[in-house]
Amino acid sequence: MAKTQHWLIKSEPSVYAYAQLEHDGSTRWDGVRNFEARNNLRAMREGDLCLYYHSNEGKAVVGVARVARAAYQDPTSEEDWSCVDVAPLKAFTEPVTLDAIRARKGFANLEMLRRNRLSVTHVTAAEFKTFLAMGKTEL
DNA sequence: GCCAACGTTGGC
DNA sequence: GCCAACGTTGGC
């Protein structure tokens, strides 16, 4: 059994909010058109955990999703892009705002801060644990 | 293979 | 709605 990896995925809540994911039960995470984000999608394995970040509005991590299906050809493109399926796992008791993330010591190397325009970033196990604590949430 | 132009993302 | 950052594209 491969070790679970952790990721952070971004979505504008006006486009697809976490509540929508909970409503739908699962969704295809498609439309990614950035090579680095694509590589991250391809590194995902079923069962990996994703922090779900609301960009633009909210600007906070609001929950955890689980990779329900590893990377496959993105059906919304004829070209070589990938998508995964994700399912909701647990909403955070308290959203973890961007301000709080920035203020947090130990998050200096957080990829989503360093590469703020990348929509799919890697999160270390330690960072993930910290996020859960900040969100007052246990899985 | 360089670099300017362009498009997209995301914070403010 | 604006603008900065930055990845991508295309001309040379």
Side-chain angles (χ1 to χ4, degrees):
Chain A
M1 181 65 178
K3 216 175 166 198
T4 303
Q5 305 175 103
H6 303 89
W7 308 93
L8 184 146
I9 59 179
K10 295 190 201 176
S11 178
E12 294 186 40
S14 61
V15 176
Y16 198 87
Y18 188 77
Q20 185 67 40
L21 180 62
E22 288 185 313
H23 177 262
D24 292 346
S26 78
T27 196
R28 193 173 67 216
W29 204 261
D30 59 21
V32 171
R33 298 292 183 267
N34 171 284
F35 290 112
E36 228 176 322
R38 183 189 72 178
N39 291 342
N40 284 339
L41 287 179
R42 288 181 178 177
M44 287 184 183
R45 293 185 290 249
E46 190 179 329
D48 280 1
L49 301 176
C50 302
L51 296 164
Y52 198 106
Y53 178 79
H54 280 171
S55 60
N56 279 313
E57 299 163 53
K59 280 174 292 176
V61 172
V62 296
V64 181
R66 177 182 174 282
V67 177
R69 182 180 169 189
Y72 57 101
Q73 172 65 33
D74 185 340
T76 68
S77 175
E78 302 287 303
E79 291 167 343
D80 186 24
W81 295 108
S82 296
C83 62
V84 297
D85 288 352
V86 296
L89 192 62
K90 198 158 195 182
F92 272 9
T93 307
E94 261 182 37
V96 178
T97 64
L98 181 59
D99 284 348
I101 295 167
R102 282 203 179 116
R104 183 85 188 188
K105 285 186 179 158
F107 275 179
N109 291 320
L110 193 68
E111 196 179 345
M112 72 88 70
L113 289 179
R114 291 201 345 257
R115 311 286 316 284
N116 100 85
R117 282 172 57 260
L118 197 57
S119 60
V120 181
T121 54
H122 184 250
V123 176
T124 68
E127 288 163 350
F128 186 81
K129 260 183 98 171
T130 304
F131 269 107
L132 287 184
M134 291 170 83
K136 299 189 171 26
T137 301
E138 287 177 30
L139 295 182

